[in-house]
Amino acid sequence: MKTFTSGWAFQKPDQNYFKKFLHLNRIAIDGIVYPKKLLADIEAIPVLGFDDARVAITSDDQVLDLSTNSEVHTELDAFFAAQGIERVSIPDFLDRLIEQDRHDALSMPVAGIKASDIRNLKRAAAPGPFDPHFLDAESYETASKLDGIFRHSMWQRFIAFDRDDTPGNVLFHVLLDLQTRDLLEHLRVLDTPRVFLDAILKLRLHVPNAKLRIGVSDEAFADLRGRAEFYRRSLGDCLVPFGDAGASQDERTILLAGSIDPIVAAASHGRHLSAICFMPRSIVDYVALTTAFGERQYRLLLRQPDTGAHNLLAAVLTPALFGA
């Protein structure tokens, strides 16, 4: 079975995830169909006019619908209908592959996500607007959009998060939001130190009177290498001993981490920790977090800084911070 496209939209950034999926799984495009062959090829893929397509494409092949021009789309509709060949949308194509992949052989464009994770997501309840765990409306909207993107394989919708922002700047605004709510007291940096410490330094410039206690693990300081001394000098007046990375020194401590793993691991052992962390597996990490916390009380702030799925940022707050 060969794979063709009707029209071409891969030059558009909203198809970057799908292009990466094709590359990772070595799925070749055998031809691009247009009403007329105006070019020999696009990105080394042969362009086929209708005459060529009648010969090249059989009923056993699949044709992905990538046409964006309305007039061309109408001509392609008529041509493939006359040939008795049904075109497949990219989401339907992906859904079919994900449903068939029972051994997680496919490589997804977001590291750490498997086909079984998407199937499990489809069986789970979608985030609801009245979920009391969301700290604000934007958190619900972020969760809902990401759920829809992965649940329905509409990866092109990540383009909606193209806001000319950075994870570091969004992290700063999350810290500022929590500072405004009087929720920042003791921060403990487990890993990914530079992005967290840069955001903390920026916060101190904006709120110079903020009374913060900051613990940084030895591993995190080691990761900073030559810049470790800079951060020690810049934060010297608020640095405190780190202590045991697996336990909070007080109930209002907020852990800072590059993944949700330490938070989920603690929850599985009955410990309920507050944290600001990245979710590299996007909505799959969100589901893992909500599953681990179960019926416990918590509040959740979610932000998607850009089109990088791995940059989803979460603030998880326990009752000791927001009140029971």
Side-chain angles (χ1 to χ4, degrees):
M1 181 176 67
K2 294 182 178 179
T3 301
F4 298 85
T5 71
S6 62
W8 189 249
F10 282 176
Q11 76 278 13
K12 299 173 64 177
D14 60 355
Q15 294 296 348
N16 285 348
Y17 279 102
F18 184 57
K19 286 194 291 185
K20 184 177 181 181
F21 174 82
L22 294 178
H23 175 73
L24 289 172
N25 294 284
R26 299 181 181 179
I27 299 173
I29 302 297
D30 296 285
I32 304 164
V33 180
Y34 276 110
K36 296 180 180 179
K37 183 173 180 175
L38 300 177
L39 298 171
D41 63 77
I42 299 176
E43 297 183 20
I45 301 172
V47 173
L48 308 177
F50 283 166
D51 291 339
D52 295 328
R54 286 189 185 94
V55 176
I57 303 175
T58 71
S59 58
D60 294 328
D61 298 324
Q62 57 189 354
V63 180
L64 306 182
D65 184 10
L66 285 172
S67 55
T68 56
N69 180 285
S70 59
E71 292 183 8
V72 172
H73 188 86
T74 299
E75 291 186 70
L76 290 167
D77 277 344
F79 171 76
F80 283 105
Q83 301 303 304
I85 296 175
E86 183 179 355
R87 288 180 292 168
V88 182
S89 70
I90 291 176
D92 287 346
F93 171 70
L94 292 170
D95 277 346
R96 181 193 304 164
L97 293 180
I98 289 169
E99 182 59 31
Q100 293 171 349
D101 182 20
R102 294 291 159 168
H103 300 289
D104 287 331
L106 288 172
S107 295
M108 294 294 166
V110 179
I113 294 183
K114 306 181 295 294
S116 56
D117 294 322
I118 305 300
R119 292 195 297 273
N120 291 337
L121 179 66
K122 290 176 180 290
R123 291 191 289 268
F130 303 111
D131 186 331
H133 294 120
F134 291 121
L135 190 62
D136 58 14
E138 184 176 350
S139 296
Y140 157 69
E141 291 166 1
T142 299
S144 181
K145 287 179 182 177
L146 293 173
D147 179 270
I149 286 170
F150 286 97
R151 183 184 297 266
H152 303 298
S153 299
M154 292 185 173
W155 300 342
Q156 73 276 13
R157 292 188 176 178
F158 256 110
I159 200 68
F161 294 108
D162 186 8
R163 299 168 179 166
D164 195 26
D165 212 337
T166 65
N169 188 54
V170 172
L171 172 60
F172 158 70
H173 283 286
V174 168
L175 290 171
L176 184 61
D177 185 339
L178 299 184
Q179 172 66 30
T180 302
R181 298 172 190 264
D182 197 28
L183 299 180
L184 292 188
E185 292 183 13
H186 186 187
L187 304 175
R188 304 178 75 225
V189 182
L190 301 185
D191 53 44
T192 322
R194 186 158 181 172
V195 66
F196 286 117
L197 294 178
D198 282 348
I200 290 170
L201 286 175
K202 188 173 180 180
L203 176 69
R204 294 192 73 197
L205 289 174
H206 281 73
V207 191
N209 296 325
K211 296 180 180 179
L212 301 176
R213 293 177 295 148
I214 303 167
V216 182
S217 71
D218 291 340
E219 293 82 0
F221 263 132
D223 285 345
L224 291 168
R225 299 181 181 178
R227 288 186 62 84
E229 189 58 32
F230 164 76
Y231 289 108
R232 283 194 175 96
R233 291 197 307 269
S234 301
L235 297 170
D237 60 328
C238 58
L239 286 176
V240 296
F242 182 79
D244 179 9
S248 297
Q249 293 183 5
D250 59 64
E251 292 184 340
R252 294 180 63 84
T253 294
I254 298 177
L255 305 183
L256 307 182
S259 79
I260 66 164
D261 294 347
I263 317 308
V264 170
S268 68
H269 291 89
R271 286 181 290 161
H272 194 182
L273 306 179
S274 295
I276 300 172
C277 54
F278 287 93
M279 292 184 162
R281 298 189 305 155
S282 190
I283 197 68
V284 173
D285 277 340
Y286 163 81
V287 172
L289 181 71
T290 58
T291 300
F293 273 52
E295 297 301 318
R296 295 184 179 98
Q297 288 187 322
Y298 65 94
R299 301 295 294 278
L300 185 63
L301 186 148
L302 283 178
R303 296 290 187 266
Q304 179 65 48
D306 53 22
T307 59
H310 59 288
N311 286 329
L312 179 61
L313 184 64
V316 187
L317 310 175
T318 62
L321 287 171
F322 68 82

